[in-house]
Amino acid sequence: MLERTIRGAAHLAWMASCWKPYRSLRRAQDNPAAAQARLLERMLRANASSAYGRKFGFSRVRTAREFQSAVPIVDYDELRPWIERIKEGERTVLTEEPVLMLEKTSGSSTAAKYIPYTSSLRREFQRAVGAWMFDLHAHQPAMVSGTAYWAITPLAREPEITSGGLRVGFENDTEYLGAAERFLLGKILAVPGEVARVPELDTALYVTLRFLLQSPSLSFISVWAPSFLTILLGHLHNNAERLLADLRDGRLRPPGPLPEAIAPAFDRFLRADAARARRLEHAWRESGMLRVQDLWPNLRVISCWTDASSRPAVPALRDMFPGVDIQGKGLLATEGVVSLPLVEHGACTTAATSHFYEFMEQPGTLPRLLHELEANHEYSVLLTTGGGLYRYSLGDRVRVVGFAGNTPLLEFLGKEDGVSDLCGEKLSPAFVGSVLEELAVERAYMSDFAMLAPSQQESLGYVLFLEGATSETDLAVRLDKKLKRNPHYAYCRRLGQLTAPRIFQITSDAGEYYLRRCVAMGQRAGAVKAVALHRLTGWEDIFLGDWTAHRAAREVEA
């Protein structure tokens, strides 16, 4: 009873802290132009004396149009020399305020990008998360009495420090929040944040499940890819007997050792629940499975990706969690937050009080400001944030599906530039091209046609299509190792969301079959280019000459 009272008080205190960002966002929705102008002025004034601000004359910029004229649109490759200076310990490079840490995400032409985080950037995330959480709790009041699971992402990541002494990586997703919010959320969380420091993945998953099992009041789950929950439940059923015995006895016996430094934290968090363990053991013996309704009867909401490449996984998730609301996350990237879900809108609103946004409809055109967007039009997103990204091309495409007041509601359509993203791996054509070129130079294969593409035929993963023979029996292993330089791909592989890549040998006419499919999809034959990475599935049928299967696949894609 005392624990529930403390948890309820923490929920109410947290919701009180979320009221201000929610109110600010709702006010900004009526006049997004004014809200955006204030944000831009504040960021330029705060960083005018940074090296980047001096180079591009932030002190002379007064309006959004002047900002667009003075400061170039950039991608990560163009910012890399500046971020390398930050990694080496130089101060006031992109921002005047100190860089607290760097977060790593996958790159386009390189394996990884390092995104600087400042206090200002963290506050910008807090405004979006606070508005989202207040709205969600207002529409799901039963969540106030329950616990929450916020994904530890990624689990079992090796610690990394830059040459300048900066930490790389969040320990868990609550680090987007401020100290007070994290303290309050700590009273609500079902799984302690120390799970992030468990070095071995199977052990980390076991520990996560052990703490989730002792939390029947779980009411909210926040993960990224829907497939993560599928994997987590798979580990639950594979280890059910041992987990339930640990729940009954108040123990924690994971498959691998725990670091001595964090074991005491887990001991303090552990509880025994013999009665619950007996009920679940009985259900397990009777049916050979554990139903989520029995495990977490108070679960109300799962927050995860539901757009673009994650959309096909949502129906299976609904079947696994009947009666639970599946809420899409909107567009939240490592670099910044673009949109957030509000229940009352039935869609994701632009986070107008977080960053300064521009939207490019076509390459080479003047980007539009937030208040200039039109319904049913598609745009590429440019971000300017308090973390030191100015007019940064995020590489994401959105569509305006409506308006909240005068602020656009956005649907995330997917990554641009041919990026393949089945479950968060974010493989780009440039990166894959460099990997295939390395393998060719190393004479791992000799082929006039080499293309990597996702596949769902045997299992979710990637296939390298090659025309001609290769004598390298370990080509798939070498390919996998090189692709793992992308940190998100490596994590998806470790977690089991993606299987190891396979090699598909094409006997002849690969180019012709490739051309035929591209033309069938509406491309002009003279404009079809060979690519290192193709985002579409179904190429096995194409290269086997099975056009009936291809037409069926096209209907599914449509």
Side-chain angles (χ1 to χ4, degrees):
M1 180 63 72
L2 178 61
E3 181 181 340
R4 183 174 180 177
T5 301
I6 292 172
R7 187 168 64 237
H11 262 296
L12 292 174
W14 187 29
M15 287 306 98
S17 72
C18 291
W19 162 244
K20 184 176 179 180
Y22 173 77
R23 181 186 59 185
S24 297
L25 178 63
R26 291 304 308 270
R27 288 177 174 174
Q29 286 179 330
D30 292 330
N31 192 355
Q36 288 281 282
R38 286 193 297 270
L39 275 171
L40 179 62
E41 180 186 10
R42 187 185 310 148
M43 283 187 277
L44 294 176
R45 187 171 63 246
N47 298 302
S49 296
S50 67
Y52 203 84
R54 293 195 304 273
K55 179 177 176 65
F56 294 106
F58 283 7
S59 62
R60 299 188 297 273
V61 173
R62 295 290 180 270
T63 67
R65 294 306 180 203
E66 290 179 358
F67 178 62
Q68 290 177 323
S69 298
V71 180
I73 296 172
V74 297
D75 58 19
Y76 186 82
D77 288 339
E78 291 160 306
L79 275 186
R80 186 185 296 109
W82 300 85
I83 293 177
E84 288 299 320
R85 290 162 61 179
I86 294 173
K87 290 171 65 178
E88 291 167 5
E90 185 177 341
R91 298 174 180 271
T92 64
V93 177
L94 295 173
T95 59
E96 288 190 41
E97 66 180 322
V99 172
L100 305 175
M101 55 162 286
L102 296 154
E103 181 59 294
K104 188 161 66 171
T105 186
S106 59
S108 53
S109 61
T110 56
K113 301 184 290 188
Y114 291 81
I115 307 302
Y117 268 69
T118 62
S119 293
S120 290
L121 180 58
R122 179 174 276 167
R123 286 193 295 271
E124 291 165 10
F125 273 102
Q126 285 173 238
R127 291 175 203 142
V129 173
W132 165 42
M133 282 288 102
F134 186 89
D135 175 76
L136 185 58
H137 279 75
H139 288 87
Q140 291 280 2
M143 285 174 55
V144 173
S145 61
T147 59
Y149 170 53
W150 289 64
I152 311 297
T153 320
L155 285 168
R157 175 162 63 179
E158 291 294 327
E160 184 178 347
I161 302 292
T162 71
S163 59
L166 285 170
R167 176 167 64 94
V168 176
F170 288 132
E171 288 197 355
N172 60 72
D173 287 356
T174 66
E175 286 203 59
Y176 285 115
L177 306 175
E181 289 83 357
R182 291 201 304 275
F183 173 79
L184 293 171
L185 194 54
K187 305 296 182 184
I188 300 165
L189 290 178
V191 179
E194 285 81 3
V195 171
R197 296 163 58 190
V198 176
E200 200 275 320
L201 186 59
D202 283 342
T203 299
L205 289 170
Y206 187 95
V207 173
T208 298
L209 287 165
R210 170 62 183 85
F211 285 113
L212 287 175
L213 280 179
Q214 73 177 32
S215 188
S217 64
L218 183 72
S219 61
F220 175 69
I221 291 175
S222 175
V223 297
W224 297 103
S227 59
F228 177 79
L229 282 180
T230 305
I231 289 167
L232 196 63
L233 289 180
H235 276 257
L236 170 61
H237 288 97
N238 290 338
N239 296 276
E241 186 174 347
R242 185 171 184 170
L243 281 163
L244 293 174
D246 281 358
L247 175 64
R248 182 188 62 234
D249 300 332
R251 296 180 300 184
L252 178 60
R253 300 175 299 160
L258 296 174
E260 292 184 8
I262 63 173
F266 290 153
D267 290 340
R268 290 193 300 271
F269 213 82
L270 278 175
R271 295 194 310 274
D273 193 336
R276 175 170 163 80
R278 283 195 297 271
R279 287 195 300 272
L280 294 175
E281 285 171 343
H282 177 74
W284 173 254
R285 286 193 298 269
E286 287 290 312
S287 64
M289 63 180 296
L290 295 171
R291 301 189 313 159
V292 294
Q293 303 98 307
D294 298 327
L295 293 167
W296 304 295
N298 298 310
L299 185 60
R300 295 291 181 268
V301 179
I302 294 173
S303 169
C304 63
W305 291 328
T306 58
D307 289 334
S309 59
S310 294
R311 193 185 304 275
V314 175
L317 197 64
R318 294 192 193 281
D319 290 341
M320 263 189 288
F321 292 88
V324 178
D325 285 346
I326 311 297
Q327 186 184 57
K329 277 192 179 299
L331 177 49
L332 191 153
T334 303
E335 294 90 338
V337 55
V338 178
S339 63
L340 61 126
L342 293 184
V343 175
E344 57 200 286
H345 299 325
C348 294
T349 183
T350 313
T353 54
S354 290
H355 317 306
F356 180 75
Y357 305 97
E358 299 170 75
F359 298 85
M360 185 178 294
E361 192 161 13
Q362 297 293 337
T365 60
L366 180 68
R368 298 190 180 197
L369 305 180
L370 181 58
H371 64 281
E372 298 173 332
L373 302 191
E374 298 180 58
N376 301 315
H377 284 231
E378 297 180 11
Y379 302 93
S380 303
V381 182
L382 306 179
L383 283 182
T384 294
T385 77
L389 304 183
Y390 306 99
R391 309 199 72 204
Y392 177 86
S393 180
L394 191 58
D396 289 320
R397 194 83 176 164
V398 297
R399 178 191 293 120
V400 178
V401 295
F403 292 87
N406 295 307
T407 297
L409 301 173
L410 303 176
E411 177 190 4
F412 172 56
L413 299 178
K415 304 296 290 184
E416 294 184 308
D417 301 326
V419 170
S420 181
D421 193 20
L422 295 174
C423 51
E425 71 277 15
K426 300 180 179 69
L427 286 178
S428 74
F431 171 64
V432 171
S434 68
V435 166
L436 297 186
E437 185 177 349
E438 286 180 22
L439 289 169
V441 169
E442 295 167 5
R443 303 185 71 81
Y445 70 85
M446 289 176 286
S447 174
D448 292 331
F449 184 93
M451 181 182 76
L452 190 74
S455 174
Q456 300 182 23
Q457 281 202 353
E458 296 181 12
S459 56
L460 196 63
Y462 284 85
V463 176
L464 177 58
F465 296 93
L466 294 174
E467 181 176 2
T470 173
S471 60
E472 291 289 337
T473 57
D474 66 342
L475 177 56
V477 175
R478 293 172 64 178
L479 171 64
D480 192 37
K481 182 177 180 181
K482 291 179 184 293
L483 291 175
K484 284 177 179 176
R485 297 203 302 257
N486 173 316
H488 290 298
Y489 174 86
Y491 183 62
C492 290
R493 284 281 292 112
R494 288 169 56 212
L495 196 57
Q497 291 173 301
L498 295 174
T499 58
R502 295 180 286 113
I503 308 300
F504 187 104
Q505 298 285 164
I506 307 165
T507 55
S508 63
D509 301 323
E512 179 183 346
Y513 283 113
Y514 174 75
L515 176 64
R516 287 177 64 186
R517 185 181 191 187
C518 291
V519 170
M521 292 187 297
Q523 292 181 250
R524 288 182 293 112
V528 172
K529 299 177 181 177
V531 294
L533 171 69
H534 206 293
R535 288 187 295 183
L536 294 184
T537 61
W539 287 101
E540 294 98 324
D541 295 325
I542 296 300
F543 292 123
L544 289 171
D546 188 348
W547 286 87
T548 301
H550 166 56
R551 283 191 292 272
R554 286 193 66 197
E555 292 174 4
V556 172
E557 290 162 7

